[in-house]
Amino acid sequence: MPSRDEVSYFGAGPAPLPTPIVEAGAKAFVNFNDCGLGLGEISHRSPTANKILENIKADLTSLIGIPENYEILFLQAGGSGEFSAVVYNLVSVWIERRRKRAEAESLKANPGADKTQIDELVFQRVQKEVEKELKLDYLVTGSWSLKASQEAARLVGAKYVNVALDARKFNDGKFGKIPPEESWSLTPTKREGGKGSAFVYFCDNETVDGVEFQGFPKSLEAQTGDEEDERLVVADMSSNFLSRKIDVSKYAVIFGGAQKNVGVTGITIAIVRKSLLPPQTATPPASLLHRLNIGGLPGPIVFDYATAAKNNSLYNTLPIFNLWIAGQVIANLVGAFGAQKVGGQEEIANKKAALIYGALDKYPQIYHVVPDKSVRSRMNICFRVHGGDAEKEKDFLTGAEKRLLQGLKGHRSVGGIRASNYNAVPLRNVEKLVKYLEDYATGQAE
C-alpha cells in the first residue's frame, strides 16, 4: 500500500491538496480547536464560521489584490452553476439599466401620467430593446466555454447569444488555438457605433483542451471609463485561479470552482464588481422580468449575487468545512510568498510547466503536444503518445502507474494524456514525471 508521499497525482479535478492541510483537515473534521465538534457540524451562522469567512476574504484580498469596489462571494454548484448565474445576474443588470433610463425619460416626456401608464411605457420600450439589442458575447476556446455558451442559449434563447469566437473554425474543427483578436466578432459598444452586450465571457484556462489565455485580451480593455459603455468581462478561472497575477479591476466577474487550485468540491468563489449590485444597480422588478419572459428570469435565488452579498454568503447553508480548507490553502500561499503574493506561486507554476513541456518537446517523434505553442496551458498539459496510438497510450499509462504517477489519462471526450499541474503538485512530483517521460522516450521505462 503506497503512502501519500509516494504517489504523484496529476488528476484534473478534484485535484491534490497540500498534505499538511489534508492532515489538519482530518483533525478539524473530528474536533475543531478542541471545541468538541467537527467543522462539518458547526452552524454556518456561528461566530466560528463568521471568523473563518472573515479570514478567507482578508487573505484572498491580500494574495491577489482585490480592490475595495469588489465583493467576494462564496457560493455552491461549481463553475457549471456559474454558467447559469452570470446569465441570470448580468442580463438582469442589463435590463435594470435600461429600465431606469426608460423610466426617467418616460416621466419627463409624460408629466401627467400615473404609475400604471409609466410602467406600461417602460415595459414596451424595454421589451423592444431586449428584442433588438440584447446580446451575450462568448469566446469559445474549449469544451467548458462551449458548455457555458450552450447554457446561455438554453436559458435565454440562441438568438441572444453571440459566439464572437469559435476557435474550432481556425483549427480544423478542433480546439487548440486562439486566433488573432481582430478575427473576433464582438458586439460593438456605443463608442464603436453599437449598443454593447450584456457581458463578454471567456474561460481563462480550458482543462479538457489544454488551452490558456496568455494574458487579458486587448480588445476587452476598458476605453472610456464609462462602465455602461464598456464590456463587462466575465472570466471562468476555475482551473488557473491563484496560479498567476491578475488585474482584478479589468473584470466584472471572476468565478471558479474550488476543487482545482483552492480546496475541495463544494465551494465556488465569485468576485463581483460592486457597481453590479444594489444599491448601485438594483434588481429589476420580478413582475417586469416575468412579462419580458426571458429565460425564466428572475433566476433561482441561490444564484442571485445581490442576495448572496447582502447575506455575507450565508443566505443558505454554506459548507464551512470546505470553506475552511480553501481558507487554509489561501493562508498558506499568503504565508509562503509574503510580499511576492501570488507572483511567487506563478514562478513555481511556470517552472513546473516548462519542465514538462521541455521533456515533451525534446522527443517530438514520441510526444505531440495538442494545443498550439502560443496557447499552451500551464495547468493542464495535454499531449498524445505515438500519434495517439490507443495501445501505446495505454502502455504509457500502465508504465506511469507502476511508478505511482496517477491521474494522467486525458478527458474522456478527447482521450490522450493530460498532466494537470495545479498549485499543490510539488516540484518533486513534476520531476518524477519528467524522468518517466525521458525514460519512456528512450526505451528505459519498465
Side-chain angles (χ1 to χ4, degrees):
M1 197 78 166
S3 69
R4 182 178 177 86
D5 286 342
E6 290 175 311
V7 171
S8 300
Y9 185 62
F10 296 94
L17 286 164
T19 295
I21 290 175
V22 173
E23 292 172 344
K27 294 178 181 178
F29 195 73
V30 176
N31 188 355
F32 181 65
N33 287 351
D34 296 323
C35 72
L37 291 173
L39 273 178
E41 300 167 304
I42 67 169
S43 169
H44 62 299
R45 303 195 189 279
S46 66
T48 298
N50 275 276
K51 185 62 176 174
I52 292 170
L53 193 55
E54 178 186 335
N55 289 345
I56 189 174
K57 283 186 175 184
D59 285 338
L60 184 57
T61 297
S62 171
L63 184 65
I64 64 173
I66 301 175
E68 290 185 0
N69 62 324
Y70 283 77
E71 190 76 42
I72 303 171
L73 306 176
F74 297 96
L75 308 164
Q76 296 172 62
S80 296
E82 290 304 295
F83 296 167
S84 307
V86 294
V87 173
Y88 288 134
N89 285 278
L90 295 190
V91 170
S92 292
V93 166
W94 188 94
I95 290 171
E96 176 60 12
R97 288 177 172 176
R98 280 151 183 77
R99 186 200 68 80
K100 286 176 66 177
R101 190 180 301 122
E103 183 179 63
E105 293 177 7
S106 296
L107 285 168
K108 185 177 180 180
N110 303 276
D114 61 25
K115 185 178 185 303
T116 301
Q117 292 171 318
I118 294 296
D119 285 349
E120 185 61 27
L121 289 170
V122 169
F123 167 72
Q124 291 177 6
R125 175 169 160 176
V126 173
Q127 186 181 47
K128 288 180 182 177
E129 290 180 353
V130 166
E131 286 299 310
K132 292 181 179 180
E133 300 172 9
L134 177 61
K135 289 296 178 185
L136 287 57
D137 286 353
Y138 280 80
L139 304 179
V140 176
T141 57
S143 299
W144 291 111
S145 49
L146 177 61
K147 287 179 183 292
S149 71
Q150 291 169 337
E151 174 66 356
R154 188 185 72 85
L155 292 175
V156 300
K159 69 178 182 178
Y160 297 120
V161 176
N162 172 41
V163 177
L165 161 65
D166 185 342
R168 294 172 296 183
K169 295 179 179 179
F170 300 83
N171 195 43
D172 299 324
K174 296 180 179 180
F175 294 118
K177 290 183 179 179
I178 300 178
E181 293 185 34
E182 53 266 27
S183 69
W184 304 355
S185 56
L186 294 163
T187 300
T189 60
K190 290 179 183 178
R191 70 177 182 274
E192 296 167 338
K195 298 291 185 178
S197 60
F199 61 85
V200 182
Y201 163 97
F202 71 95
C203 182
D204 209 33
N205 182 76
E206 292 279 3
T207 59
V208 173
D209 307 284
V211 171
E212 184 174 25
F213 280 85
Q214 303 303 294
F216 189 85
K218 291 183 180 179
S219 58
L220 304 185
E221 294 274 4
Q223 297 289 329
T224 66
D226 177 1
E227 189 173 273
E228 291 200 31
D229 190 30
E230 302 293 356
R231 293 186 170 93
L232 294 180
V233 180
V234 176
D236 177 357
M237 294 188 181
S238 293
S239 53
N240 65 353
F241 193 53
L242 306 186
S243 72
R244 66 181 181 186
K245 293 179 283 187
I246 58 171
D247 183 350
V248 174
S249 68
K250 293 183 177 182
Y251 303 86
V253 178
I254 294 169
F255 71 80
Q259 67 273 17
K260 302 186 188 295
N261 271 335
V262 188
V264 293
T265 306
I267 289 287
T268 308
I269 299 172
I271 303 170
V272 181
R273 192 177 291 155
K274 289 181 180 178
S275 61
L276 304 174
L277 303 169
Q280 295 183 57
T281 300
T283 302
S287 58
L288 173 63
L289 295 175
H290 292 156
R291 288 191 71 188
L292 291 171
N293 193 27
I294 309 170
L297 268 67
I301 197 165
V302 292
F303 282 165
D304 186 60
Y305 293 156
T307 298
K310 181 181 178 181
N311 291 275
N312 193 29
S313 299
L314 296 172
Y315 174 78
N316 60 330
T317 306
L318 192 66
I320 299 302
F321 175 75
N322 307 50
L323 183 72
W324 181 83
I325 290 288
Q328 293 300 295
V329 169
I330 293 168
N332 246 25
L333 292 172
V334 171
F337 299 116
Q340 278 187 291
K341 299 186 178 181
V342 75
Q345 182 60 50
E346 181 175 17
E347 289 180 9
I348 294 173
N350 291 348
K351 180 179 180 179
K352 292 189 297 175
L355 286 172
I356 299 173
Y357 282 122
L360 295 171
D361 289 339
K362 186 177 177 180
Y363 301 100
Q365 72 278 17
I366 305 296
Y367 306 118
H368 168 67
V369 177
V370 175
D372 187 77
K373 196 168 186 176
S374 63
V375 296
R376 287 179 176 180
S377 168
R378 300 162 306 123
M379 296 288 101
N380 306 100
I381 297 164
C382 299
F383 60 99
R384 305 307 299 251
V385 178
H386 288 291
D389 181 283
E391 287 303 314
K392 290 182 178 179
E393 288 191 334
K394 185 177 179 180
D395 290 342
F396 175 89
L397 291 170
T398 299
E401 288 280 347
K402 289 179 180 178
R403 296 197 185 191
L404 300 181
L405 302 169
Q406 299 181 2
L408 288 168
K409 188 175 182 179
H411 191 272
R412 63 186 180 279
S413 65
V414 295
I417 315 297
R418 174 175 57 176
S420 293
N421 176 41
Y422 297 131
N423 288 352
V425 175
L427 178 60
R428 65 178 180 276
N429 288 6
V430 167
E431 290 170 342
K432 290 177 183 178
L433 174 59
V434 168
K435 180 65 165 62
Y436 176 62
L437 292 171
E438 293 267 359
D439 288 349
Y440 181 88
T442 56
Q444 299 179 55
E446 295 178 5

